[in-house]
Structure formats: structure tokens, C-alpha cells
């Protein structure tokens, strides 16, 4: 099992690798995870591609299909496309997390962290707007 003290990068990698290679996890998490929960562009692009495929075909794409979808997606720039293909290739043999409950819990931790960050950013934005909307006598 993975340590509870993971960095954001390690957590994102754990979740992405399991989304790519673990059909049970991908199917269970597709209704709950959102691309905006992933801090990296790589994560966002992979999640969008996988979840779009799941919605259309009701199954996760094979690694070959995922790579083909990434390579032909005109919305993904060349550098990001190369980074995603490299990430997929580097993680073909990575040991998957076998404890699905733990993995889902970690995905929820990441999602909650993102929602807290978004809420704080909105508060700061509102406070800054209020400062500009002051009235003088």
C-alpha cells in the first residue's frame, strides 16, 4: 500500500496510472472525478480523453487506443502530446494499487483539496472585488 504522506505529484500519478490501467477504478471514478481536480495539463488531458471514451463506449480504452486518441487530438499541443505518450509508456509496468478502497479514498482527497483551493480562490476574488466597490461619503 502507498504511504498516506504523498506529494500532490505522487497522488496525481497514482490516480492517473490506475485510471489508465485499472478498469474497475476508472469505471467507478468516472462519474466523480473531474479534469479540474488534476493540477497538471497532462492529468487534465488524460482524464478528459479517458472519460470521453468511457461515455461513448462504456469501457476504458486500451493503452493503444488511448495513445491513438491522444496522438490524433488536435486540441492537445505537440509537447503535451509527447509528454502524455511518454507518461503512458513509462508507466506500462508500474505496479497498480490493489486496494481499490484506498485508491478511491486518495482520489477523494485530491478532489477535496481542489475544491477547497477553488473555494479559497473565489473568496479572495470576492474580497478583492469588494475592495474596488467601496463607496465614499
Amino acid at each position: 500500500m502507498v504511504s498516506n504522506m504523498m506529494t500532490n505529484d505522487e497522488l496525481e500519478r497514482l490516480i492517473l496510472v490506475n485510471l489508465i490501467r485499472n478498469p474497475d477504478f476508472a469505471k467507478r471514478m468516472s462519474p466523480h472525478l473531474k479534469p479540474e481536480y488534476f493540477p497538471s495539463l497532462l492529468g487534465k488531458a488524460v482524464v478528459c480523453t479517458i472519460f470521453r471514451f468511457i461515455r461513448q463506449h462504456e469501457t476504458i480504452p486500451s493503452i493503444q487506443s488511448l495513445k491513438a486518441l491522444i496522438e490524433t487530438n488536435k486540441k492537445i499541443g505537440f509537447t503535451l502530446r509527447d509528454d502524455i505518450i511518454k507518461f503512458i509508456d513509462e508507466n506500462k509496468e508500474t505496479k497498480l494499487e490493489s486496494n481499490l478502497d484506498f485508491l478511491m479514498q486518495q482520489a477523494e482527497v485530491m478532489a477535496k483539496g481542489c475544491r477547497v483551493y477553488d473555494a479559497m480562490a473565489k473568496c479572495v476574488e470576492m474580497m478583492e472585488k469588494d475592495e474596488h466597490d467601496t463607496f465614499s461619503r
Side-chain angles (χ1 to χ4, degrees):
M1 183 177 301
V2 180
S3 165
N4 286 339
M5 298 302 295
M6 285 188 279
T7 66
N8 288 339
D9 289 343
E10 291 169 333
L11 182 56
E12 182 178 32
R13 181 178 170 278
L14 172 72
I15 292 168
L16 287 173
V17 167
N18 279 276
L19 282 174
I20 291 168
R21 297 187 38 231
N22 186 335
D24 292 335
F25 177 68
K27 282 184 180 180
R28 286 177 69 179
M29 292 310 296
S30 65
H32 307 290
L33 284 178
K34 297 180 181 179
E36 55 266 22
Y37 294 168
F38 292 80
S40 72
L41 286 177
L42 184 147
K44 288 174 177 35
V46 169
V47 169
C48 282
T49 304
I50 291 173
F51 290 171
R52 186 178 313 117
F53 189 92
I54 290 173
R55 282 193 306 275
Q56 292 172 347
H57 304 283
E58 297 182 7
T59 187
I60 67 166
S62 67
I63 289 177
Q64 295 79 14
S65 295
L66 179 60
K67 287 171 70 172
L69 291 167
I70 295 295
E71 289 172 343
T72 58
N73 187 335
K74 304 261 189 261
K75 294 180 182 179
I76 301 174
F78 292 113
T79 303
L80 180 57
R81 192 176 306 158
D82 291 345
D83 290 346
I84 294 170
I85 298 303
K86 181 180 175 185
F87 177 86
I88 293 169
D89 288 340
E90 287 176 351
N91 289 287
K92 281 182 189 174
E93 305 300 322
T94 301
K95 186 175 183 326
L96 296 177
E97 175 57 50
S98 60
N99 185 337
L100 199 56
D101 291 332
F102 171 78
L103 191 55
M104 292 179 72
Q105 178 186 27
Q106 294 306 304
E108 181 62 25
V109 165
M110 188 173 79
K112 281 182 183 177
C114 182
R115 290 191 300 259
V116 167
Y117 175 82
D118 287 346
M120 289 173 50
K122 285 180 184 177
C123 287
V124 168
E125 182 181 312
M126 289 171 45
M127 288 171 43
E128 287 175 348
K129 185 176 187 237
D130 284 345
E131 288 176 8
H132 298 295
D133 291 339
T134 58
F135 297 97
S136 59
R137 291 185 187 223

